[in-house]
Amino acid sequence: MAEKKQMHLTAFMRPVSLHTGAWRYPGSYADANFNFAHLTSFIQKLEQAKFDAFFMADHLAVLNMPVEALKRSQTVTSFEPFTLLSALSVVTERIGLAATASTTYDEAYHIARRFASLDHLSNGRAGWNIVTTGNPESAKNFNLDEHVEHSERYKRAREFYDVVTGLWDSFADDAFIRDQESGIFMDPDKMHVLNHRGNELKVRGPLNVARPVQGWPVIVQAGQSEPGRQLAAETAEAVFCSPKNIQGAKELYEDIKSRATAAGRNRDHLKILPAAMIIVGDSVEDAQQKRLKLDSLVHYDSAIASLSIALGTDASGFDPDGPLPTELLETNASKTARESVLKLAAEEKLTVRQLAQRYGGYAGLAFVGTPESIADEMETWLKEGACDGYTCVFPYLPQGLNDVADRLVPELQRRGLFRKDYTGTTLREHLGLPRPENRFFPSKQTNGGAA
Amino acid sequence: MAEKKQMHLTAFMRPVSLHTGAWRYPGSYADANFNFAHLTSFIQKLEQAKFDAFFMADHLAVLNMPVEALKRSQTVTSFEPFTLLSALSVVTERIGLAATASTTYDEAYHIARRFASLDHLSNGRAGWNIVTTGNPESAKNFNLDEHVEHSERYKRAREFYDVVTGLWDSFADDAFIRDQESGIFMDPDKMHVLNHRGNELKVRGPLNVARPVQGWPVIVQAGQSEPGRQLAAETAEAVFCSPKNIQGAKELYEDIKSRATAAGRNRDHLKILPAAMIIVGDSVEDAQQKRLKLDSLVHYDSAIASLSIALGTDASGFDPDGPLPTELLETNASKTARESVLKLAAEEKLTVRQLAQRYGGYAGLAFVGTPESIADEMETWLKEGACDGYTCVFPYLPQGLNDVADRLVPELQRRGLFRKDYTGTTLREHLGLPRPENRFFPSKQTNGGAA
Ligand SMILES: Cc1cc2nc3c(=O)[nH]c(=O)nc-3n(C[C@H](O)[C@H](O)[C@H](O)COP(=O)(O)O)c2cc1C
Ligand SMILES: Cc1cc2nc3c(=O)[nH]c(=O)nc-3n(C[C@H](O)[C@H](O)[C@H](O)COP(=O)(O)O)c2cc1C
């Protein structure tokens, strides 16, 4: 019997919930983003549930939002990814540790070095989410007045990737001899000086860290634009994306996998992991009530601003407790965006307030139901070629995370869709990815598994 | 009875030994710089001995040395400081964690953020050794062909310090309310936007991390030049230095303390901690034998190059096993440097080989003797105003470190010169330094303890 296609699960953990009302949900830790003891308990729980990885998003500025929203946001303060993940590497043994790092506002030598160091500290569990940095405010913290332009950001990102992976290959895996008798510590013939001189970067090398345990930390990418998808296809081994529904997910899946094939890569060496918020209840209605309760914790002022953006119309004059006044919606704004709001309003019979709070809370893909109904949906997506697994977003913590670990994961395991135990020790092994060859020191035999 | 002046002890741990032969010493861990289990055992031992801090030097390139020396160097590969110290914060509770970070080849926002994050992770144990980066090869890893010029590096360092400390002050200590009931997470009146626009840096802020536990991580500095000393006097709370003898140490001590006073600071809020290698033996002769043994592990080819530099004469033609041929030394090179070699050769009756191996191993200040004789020297320096404590350099590990922790520290404690237990929890408290006021949110009462 052919084994069922296996699902990969990573946890989106910075912020610990993307839902802006999460920190206020009854029983939540209000300081979860910034409390090491809580983060330790979360990651240990995720490791018990055999998750592939713990994932830290990252932003290089306090997020730009109106002060009324900012003062209610749990994201104002959190740990920096490398320092946090390094600390978490000590309290875990198997789960992967993926950090976001910017190619626009950092240096290739620093990035290569920190990921190599994290990979050694964690015995091969590091992953790098390559971003070009979405928040334009970041520029102002790095000596610029304006955000670097989009295509320029992606040009630099592509070259940055070449440099970072080239630096990781600075030493052959067996370069370090450390022979106390002869006094030879390192074989200089197994050290490579990169001497990169490109359009964007000049980096000599070699790196002052031995080759990472995984050869290279796992490359993750989350860009959605045309150049973002192309970068993913050429470089990524895991893709975080945020499709709205299964149809969109399938299109994205095929698009990125075909681009990977066109770029000469094995399409199985690139895992597509859409972000999905998961709310588990005793019944579907119970889960939906939890979601409404969670949404209701979003302050109306910031919520209505989000709805106005989604509608392309100022919605602040609408009756909060009435239905959406559809007759007022003829505007110039994007028709598809408006239609998806209208569809949601009709399907779930939401008032203006509830709609606003949905958009101001978390409007991305969500699986809301019982362990069985959610497992059904997740299985369908997996089978129908919409994904290779999920980037799980928790609605509130610890309870929403515990519900996934204690109730959903066992159901997925029962169905044979998710591992019952780790079979490997590295993040690469969890994700079923080959260890990259060192481009400067290829092994004698071809291993047939190049990325 | 007035309490005796207390000594501070920090451990120089990157590389774990500055002696180039250390990794070959019988019983040494050859991979100590790059083995987390060993580093954990070292820091835990230092914490049991109540050390103030564990200190990581840092270099942004593989050190530039001839290939014959490079292949014998234990420094080629080691962990990156932030990742390592964050991991070590989890396996310790009290000892300070000081990382070196460059103001020349990094960004103020990144540096401010990582130290703030490390300070929170460690509950107030972070320290920042500000360096302008000594190794000119570093430039080539950061898009430049030439090292940034010395005075320009120090100009940028001074402004960089203002920006980093300004970013640490982005939030009042009580800015985060996290009131689940009202939904107010942060008080925006307690957030400050730095808006720095200087000659070297443009950084808007605010930082996306809450104010550090210590207010600011402890500022450490190790520059020796005129602008280096001035930067220390204006900003540093601890100074690592490398005087050759007690006379030089006293001059440096007075110079930096007077500059601090002239800059309007309290001279007690700046601790001077010369680096000293410590070799403990059963007798003075035993310790000296250990040193000779250690020196003998330095390869002659690299050793003779170091001696030639110290003498200002090519020494490679001298008879390795004869005395230094003083008649051949009339050169144009620095007279003081040559005289100190001659003095050493005469005092310890060293052959050319032994001399070379001393210079190629570790030629800095060393205390070599019994626990009592070393404690005598350390006490004299402390009493005579040559230092406020020491940056301990270990000759080989684990034994050299264990000798200090198990044999020397108890002797210092017996004499009432060093703490028997920690009295505070933060690095600032260990060093007797005040917590800095937030410049944007001063406390109502003046605390009288501003730095
Ligand atoms: C699941 C997910 C996580 C992301 N995490 C980050 C992040 O941590 N930091 C960031 O700057 N952007 C992040 N992004 C944004 C992407 O990097 C990218 O900027 C965005 O998808 C827009 O695509 P484009 O840059 O290709 O136009 C994330 C996107 C997704 C879907
Ligand atoms: C104990 C000690 C530790 C040092 N650690 C570093 C270091 O980690 N990285 C670095 O680039 N320089 C380091 N230095 C060098 C100083 O930062 C400085 O460059 C050197 O003392 C020369 O001084 P100057 O730069 O003021 O001319 C250290 C110096 C001393 C004495």
Side-chain angles (χ1 to χ4, degrees), chain B residues 18-21 69 295 297-300 302-307 310 353-363:
Chain B
L18 286 174
H19 195 291
T20 56
D295 286 347
L297 298 170
V298 179
H299 193 266
Y300 191 66
S302 33
I304 201 74
S306 307
L307 179 62
R353 184 190 305 277
Q354 287 170 327
L355 256 184
Q357 280 164 329
R358 176 70 48 85
Y359 279 88
Y362 181 75

Side-chain angles (χ1 to χ4, degrees), chain A residues 73-93:
Chain A
S73 169
Q74 62 182 328
T75 63
V76 200
T77 186
S78 46
F79 294 108
E80 180 276 338
F82 287 101
T83 42
L84 177 62
L85 291 181
S86 302
L88 290 174
S89 77
V90 179
V91 298
T92 52
E93 289 180 357

Side-chain angles (χ1 to χ4, degrees), chain A residues 179-412:
Chain A
D179 180 17
Q180 289 176 317
E181 199 49 48
S182 68
I184 304 301
F185 193 86
M186 184 265 295
D187 178 353
D189 293 338
K190 296 192 170 162
M191 178 178 94
H192 181 265
V193 181
L194 188 63
N195 267 326
H196 175 89
R197 299 182 83 89
N199 290 321
E200 306 281 335
L201 301 165
K202 276 197 298 197
V203 180
R204 198 180 70 157
L207 197 66
N208 54 0
V209 183
R211 192 162 194 251
V213 174
Q214 298 183 95
W216 305 349
V218 172
I219 304 293
V220 184
Q221 216 276 340
Q224 311 255 338
S225 60
E226 164 66 29
R229 290 175 184 212
Q230 191 55 30
L231 179 65
E234 292 174 23
T235 68
E237 302 176 290
V239 170
F240 293 153
C241 51
S242 47
K244 293 260 168 290
N245 52 41
I246 189 165
Q247 199 44 50
K250 283 183 190 171
E251 283 161 24
L252 186 68
Y253 190 91
E254 264 316 304
D255 179 50
I256 295 181
K257 296 255 175 172
S258 323
R259 287 177 194 245
T261 311
R265 297 181 59 206
N266 179 334
R267 58 183 266 147
D268 292 337
H269 295 165
L270 193 167
K271 310 293 175 184
I272 313 247
L273 308 170
M277 185 166 76
I278 299 176
I279 302 186
V280 179
D282 296 332
S283 63
V284 173
E285 297 67 38
D286 177 46
Q288 281 167 344
Q289 282 307 316
K290 287 179 172 174
R291 185 187 208 180
L292 283 174
K293 166 83 188 162
L294 177 60
D295 285 348
S296 78
L297 298 170
V298 178
H299 193 266
Y300 192 64
D301 289 353
S302 32
I304 201 72
S306 306
L307 179 61
S308 300
I309 291 166
L311 287 170
T313 300
D314 179 5
S316 63
F318 298 171
D319 173 12
D321 298 309
L324 192 67
T326 46
E327 69 286 2
L328 299 179
L329 295 182
E330 296 312 318
T331 74
N332 298 324
S334 152
K335 228 180 132 191
T336 42
R338 198 169 65 243
E339 275 169 3
S340 84
V341 181
L342 288 168
K343 188 155 165 273
L344 173 63
E347 268 176 18
E348 295 194 28
K349 301 198 181 52
L350 302 176
T351 63
V352 167
R353 184 191 304 279
Q354 287 170 326
L355 258 184
Q357 281 163 330
R358 176 69 49 85
Y359 279 88
Y362 181 75
L365 176 68
F367 295 134
V368 181
T370 61
E372 296 72 28
S373 77
I374 295 172
D376 286 345
E377 284 188 275
M378 290 174 95
E379 186 165 5
T380 303
W381 281 55
L382 189 72
K383 273 194 189 148
E384 296 195 1
C387 70
D388 299 308
Y390 301 90
T391 300
C392 300
V393 173
F394 303 108
Y396 32 75
L397 297 97
Q399 196 53 56
L401 185 154
N402 291 345
D403 288 341
V404 169
D406 295 335
R407 302 180 65 184
L408 176 60
V409 165
E411 177 60 25
L412 296 170

